[in-house]
Amino acid sequence: MNALSVNNLCFSYENAPSAAVDDVSFELKKGSYTALVGMNGSGKSTLARIAAGLLEPGSGSVKVNRNMKVGIVFQSPRDQIICGSVRRDTAFGPVNEGLPDSEVELRLIESLSSVNMLQYYNRRSLDFSLGQMQKLAFSSILAISPDILILDEVTAMLDQQAREEIYKLLDELNERGTTILHITHDIYGVERASDVIMMRSGKIVWGGTSRAFYSNKSLVLELCGEKLKKSTVKKVGPRTVSLNVNNLAFSYGANKVLKDVSFDLEAGSLVALTGASGSGKSTLLELLAGLLSLQSGTIHGCCRPVLCQQNCDAALFENFAGDDVAFGLRNQGFRGKELVRRVKNAMDAVNLPFEKFAERQTFCLSGGEKRRLAVAGIIALDSDILLFDEPSVALDGESRYMIMNLMRRLADQGRTVLFTTHNRDEAAFADRVIHIENGCILTGGKSRKEGEFIEPERLKEIRAISNSFMLDGFRKVVFGRNAGNGILGRVPAILRGLLFIGFFIGTALVWSLKGCGLMFLLSVLYCVLAGHSLKDVLKSIVKIFPFILVFLFFQILFGVTRPEDTIILSKFGFSLTAEKLLVCMETLLHTECALCAILAYTNSVTEDDIIDSVSKLFYPLKKTGFPVRYAVVLVELIFRFLPLLAEETACIIKTQLVRGGLGKAKGIIRKIRAVIPLIVPLVIQTIKKANILADAMAARGLK
């Protein structure tokens, strides 16, 4: 019996030079395990989205067995998380299906247990490593009990242990009868499949058993690329240290990410930084690049390192590929023929020929092409110290081989190259491996003999980039806040919501000065009971006070003076009356009361509390036909979209800072001018993320 049939399928993106999927036909038998492979840009992801019902085909058809349900898991774990907590995110699909609470709870427990995440039932969904997030994404799709599971590069961003756990889960699901279509470049993923389909330029060019695939050496070479061969060239002459890191430690709040990290890097070396997801690798690279301020320890280098981020989507912010590579060079002052020459060299180096790709729109590129373009934008800066965060992730074999050998050539030219990786063969390809676990260097930290000396006058201290402060606020949004504190945190969520509404309305109804004064004292007490210290409450009141004064000034200036008012001062047509002062005092107290109420409520509730309260408040309207589910989802999306957008904005800012953008934002006018380059890429990313979230919700049955 066929689980899924694809017949003469065609699909083209607007403005794309060729079809993404071109006359594709194949069948998946029930209970089969098929690997879908091919070069970056060959149409695999597009085909997967059409098969999952997320894209309408241009022509042709996809037929799913009427008794079967399709589930899809995407490459990027963050793109699939819809709700702010593990419990609500996993339950999202079953709730959309209208299942009773008991069945939803059963599905939730079963799916979380299958990925070994049940112990995190009440945790925030964004507090995990990428590997844990991917397992959460799996559990959320498993909760809808799919018969056909489509996987789009789901292991590409995972460390070795997390990857093995996902593969073990897939084997178990397939043994239980789940039909699996796995898009992958990972040879270990292909080995688990019983059948293989290969695509090239939107067409299927090969199909058969995995045994037949492995017997065809040319196909295997196309998938895996050539074997990485470690350089046998021995360096002669004195060893020159280009970067020194000494006693580095860093924390995000109470979370200690790095602890007493020390090492040096030599000029002309290719160094791999390894460790599990969440071990502190990306944070270390951001500290070296000056995107984070040092908390303790020192960094000295021959120049400021430049960083190519893992999130290549956010690293591309210009409309056209050539302009994106040129961004950093323009900030360095290059113009005309020299600018074009450098852009061409960088694009050609990553196998994106300038003549073919320079005028290609960045959002039309495949995932692999975007990653290579991000690398081109960094190597174009011609820095002596280059940092790459997972530069080969999700690349096909040929592209991976090219990127790894490009980094080798850069090192052979005398540059210092440090890259993170989860792949053992890539680590073995490097001259040296630094392994980090739980924020500490376990191996590879020392490259020099004891007693060797670094000339302090040659290496300059590396501090945070001047405008890196712009990232601080976004980090707070991404990492969330601790809530549900104080005495009020023990009160049922619905009562906390009603207390807030009652307090807010009560404040608005009281207009006597004595009444306002009493409500102000009660609002301060409300904040303290919610877990705020009296000092923090007063600080918040003082911060907003200047803005209120400006408003009150205009209220006095333009307020109407009545004949019966008591005039205190009258000059130049302006009258200051006792009544105006009274209104100003009442307005001031009203505003401060409202501020305190908001501070108290937001500190006494968690995101789950708010969602549950909204559900209960709207529940009586359910019988009237009011779409309560959509109202709840809307609130959930607000909470999900804010940190998601903040993270994307932070990634754009990081890339622009690394490439010399955003200027020296001193003074209000300069700060405004510095922010303008963020607007267009941020709008583009907002639209993209909105579409991705819409797909994630549709994949879990929200219609």
Side-chain angles (χ1 to χ4, degrees):
M1 183 195 302
N2 287 333
L4 184 145
S5 300
V6 175
N7 301 298
N8 306 115
L9 203 65
C10 295
F11 183 87
S12 296
Y13 290 102
E14 190 176 352
N15 299 323
S18 58
V21 177
D22 189 0
D23 196 24
V24 167
S25 299
F26 66 90
E27 295 175 343
L28 296 182
K29 292 181 181 178
K30 183 182 178 182
S32 63
Y33 191 153
T34 305
L36 180 60
V37 301
M39 304 282 281
N40 293 129
S42 60
K44 305 184 301 298
S45 294
T46 302
L47 177 58
R49 297 176 91 82
I50 295 173
L54 301 178
L55 280 177
E56 286 290 330
S59 61
S61 64
V62 175
K63 295 180 181 178
V64 179
N65 187 302
R66 71 173 66 182
N67 299 316
M68 294 186 177
K69 186 188 301 179
V70 179
I72 183 169
V73 184
F74 306 128
Q75 174 183 320
S76 174
R78 287 185 178 275
D79 289 344
Q80 301 160 85
I81 307 301
I82 297 170
C83 304
S85 72
V86 170
R87 173 178 64 86
R88 285 191 295 104
D89 195 74
T90 307
F92 188 87
V95 170
N96 288 333
E97 293 178 350
L99 299 177
D101 292 345
S102 58
E103 179 65 20
V104 171
E105 190 70 16
L106 181 62
R107 293 269 192 101
L108 196 156
I109 292 170
E110 287 179 346
S111 57
L112 284 174
S113 297
S114 67
V115 296
N116 196 26
M117 291 279 285
L118 185 59
Q119 65 270 35
Y120 303 120
Y121 182 90
N122 287 314
R123 283 273 299 275
R124 286 182 78 245
S125 54
L126 297 180
D127 286 345
F128 299 113
S129 68
L130 283 176
Q132 290 171 312
M133 277 192 182
Q134 192 63 287
K135 288 197 285 185
L136 175 58
F138 260 98
S139 75
S140 300
I141 292 298
L142 293 178
I144 66 173
S145 298
D147 304 288
I148 304 168
L149 191 56
I150 300 175
L151 312 168
D152 190 0
E153 291 286 0
V154 294
T155 62
M157 303 179 79
L158 306 184
D159 59 61
Q160 196 66 37
Q161 181 179 346
R163 199 176 298 177
E164 287 299 326
E165 289 176 358
I166 293 297
Y167 283 145
K168 184 179 178 182
L169 173 62
L170 292 179
D171 290 341
E172 292 172 355
L173 289 170
N174 187 237
E175 287 173 7
R176 296 204 296 262
T178 302
T179 304
I180 296 175
L181 178 64
H182 187 186
I183 298 170
T184 183
H185 293 124
D186 186 359
I187 192 66
Y188 302 108
V190 178
E191 284 176 353
R192 283 172 154 78
S194 55
D195 299 288
V196 179
I197 297 172
M198 177 169 268
M199 291 186 69
R200 191 186 299 136
S201 301
K203 295 178 178 289
I204 290 179
V205 295
W206 192 90
T209 65
S210 56
R211 180 175 293 183
F213 178 81
Y214 277 108
S215 67
N216 190 321
K217 292 183 179 179
S218 62
L219 293 178
V220 174
L221 181 63
E222 183 175 339
L223 172 65
C224 304
E226 296 181 48
K227 258 192 171 181
L228 295 172
K229 297 178 182 178
K230 191 165 183 175
S231 175
T232 56
V233 178
K234 292 187 177 180
K235 296 180 175 65
V236 295
R239 295 162 68 184
T240 307
V241 174
S242 59
L243 186 71
N244 171 252
V245 177
N246 191 39
N247 303 123
L248 207 63
F250 189 84
S251 301
Y252 292 111
N255 180 24
K256 292 183 179 180
V257 182
L258 298 173
K259 309 162 191 173
D260 195 27
V261 170
S262 298
F263 63 90
D264 6 275
L265 302 180
E266 298 172 25
S269 64
L270 178 64
V271 183
L273 181 62
T274 63
S277 298
S279 60
K281 302 187 301 298
S282 295
T283 297
L284 177 56
L285 294 190
E286 289 191 9
L287 283 164
L288 298 180
L291 296 174
L292 289 170
S293 297
L294 294 176
Q295 294 174 351
S296 66
T298 59
I299 302 172
H300 290 82
C302 62
C303 67
R304 182 183 296 283
V306 295
L307 169 64
C308 182
Q309 296 180 75
Q310 185 181 124
N311 185 348
C312 60
D313 269 333
L316 306 175
F317 42 81
E318 293 284 5
N319 192 22
F320 296 101
D323 290 335
D324 203 90
V325 178
F327 181 86
L329 292 170
R330 287 196 178 102
N331 289 325
Q332 291 180 345
F334 290 100
R335 298 290 185 274
K337 292 182 179 179
E338 182 60 17
L339 173 66
V340 174
R341 185 185 71 80
R342 287 176 177 258
V343 171
K344 183 179 185 303
N345 288 344
M347 294 185 70
D348 290 348
V350 298
N351 197 25
L352 294 175
F354 179 81
E355 290 76 12
K356 182 179 178 181
F357 284 91
E359 295 185 5
R360 190 81 66 84
Q361 291 182 310
T362 53
F363 63 85
C364 287
L365 300 176
S366 70
E369 289 166 344
K370 287 177 181 177
R371 187 158 299 282
R372 283 183 278 153
L373 186 65
V375 170
I378 292 301
I379 64 173
L381 299 175
D382 201 25
S383 175
D384 286 330
I385 306 177
L386 298 154
L387 313 174
F388 297 94
D389 197 357
E390 295 285 353
S392 67
V393 72
L395 292 181
D396 56 55
E398 181 181 322
S399 297
R400 185 179 81 112
Y401 180 84
M402 180 271 300
I403 289 293
M404 295 303 298
N405 280 281
L406 170 62
M407 291 194 297
R408 164 60 63 197
R409 290 198 304 274
L410 291 168
D412 290 342
Q413 292 167 9
R415 293 176 173 82
T416 302
V417 181
L418 176 66
F419 69 99
T420 63
T421 182
H422 291 305
N423 294 323
R424 292 169 184 167
D425 63 332
E426 292 179 7
F429 179 70
D431 300 322
R432 172 179 156 214
V433 178
I434 298 175
H435 185 71
I436 188 168
E437 276 188 27
N438 298 319
C440 297
I441 289 181
L442 294 189
T443 58
K446 291 184 179 179
S447 65
R448 298 177 293 126
K449 295 177 181 178
E450 292 293 334
E452 283 187 342
F453 180 72
I454 296 177
E455 307 87 340
E457 66 275 7
R458 189 180 63 80
L459 299 180
K460 58 185 179 181
E461 187 173 4
I462 306 295
R463 294 184 176 273
I465 297 172
S466 59
N467 286 338
S468 61
F469 69 88
M470 298 172 69
L471 297 166
D472 294 339
F474 295 109
R475 290 192 185 98
K476 290 177 183 177
V477 176
V478 173
F479 288 106
R481 57 187 177 82
N482 294 318
N485 302 314
I487 296 172
L488 288 179
R490 304 168 198 167
V491 177
I494 186 69
L495 293 181
R496 276 174 273 165
L498 292 172
L499 176 63
F500 169 69
I501 294 170
F503 197 93
F504 212 86
I505 294 173
T507 301
L509 294 176
V510 175
W511 273 103
S512 69
L513 187 59
K514 285 184 180 180
C516 288
L518 178 61
M519 290 301 294
F520 175 69
L521 292 175
L522 289 174
S523 67
V524 173
L525 178 62
Y526 183 20
C527 280
V528 173
L529 292 175
H532 280 293
S533 68
L534 186 59
K535 184 180 178 181
D536 288 339
V537 175
L538 294 175
K539 275 185 179 179
S540 300
I541 290 171
V542 170
K543 280 182 181 178
I544 199 172
F545 194 72
F547 299 98
I548 300 174
L549 285 180
V550 173
F551 173 75
L552 295 180
F553 170 75
F554 284 105
Q555 189 175 16
I556 292 172
L557 187 63
F558 298 108
V560 177
T561 303
R562 295 169 299 181
E564 65 271 21
D565 288 349
T566 305
I567 297 175
I568 300 172
L569 178 68
S570 181
K571 277 191 177 182
F572 310 112
F574 162 76
S575 297
L576 176 62
T577 67
E579 287 74 15
K580 284 184 180 179
L581 288 176
L582 182 63
V583 171
C584 286
M585 286 296 295
E586 290 169 349
T587 303
L588 174 64
L589 290 171
H590 269 114
T591 308
E592 296 292 6
C593 285
L595 172 66
C596 288
I598 293 169
L599 286 173
Y601 183 66
T602 55
N603 201 60
S604 65
V605 294
T606 62
E607 182 182 325
D608 277 4
D609 291 335
I610 296 173
I611 302 299
D612 291 341
S613 297
V614 170
S615 300
K616 290 174 182 176
L617 286 171
F618 280 103
Y619 184 78
L621 298 175
K622 198 170 186 178
K623 294 180 180 179
T624 67
F626 183 82
V628 174
R629 177 61 184 157
Y630 290 104
V632 174
V633 169
L634 179 61
V635 177
E636 287 179 326
L637 285 178
I638 291 171
F639 280 104
R640 177 66 188 101
F641 206 72
L642 286 175
L644 188 67
L645 199 56
E647 187 174 24
E648 291 300 311
T649 306
C651 285
I652 295 170
I653 291 174
K654 287 174 189 176
T655 304
Q656 295 206 3
L657 288 173
V658 166
R659 298 193 199 178
L662 300 179
K664 294 183 178 180
K666 291 182 180 179
I668 294 176
I669 301 300
R670 288 187 178 181
K671 285 181 181 178
I672 293 172
R673 288 178 62 187
V675 172
I676 289 174
L678 298 175
I679 295 173
V680 173
L682 184 57
V683 170
I684 293 172
Q685 286 299 102
T686 301
I687 295 170
K688 287 169 63 176
K689 289 301 176 183
N691 288 333
I692 290 169
L693 272 179
D695 283 347
M697 289 187 292
R700 292 199 234 166
L702 185 70
K703 298 178 181 178

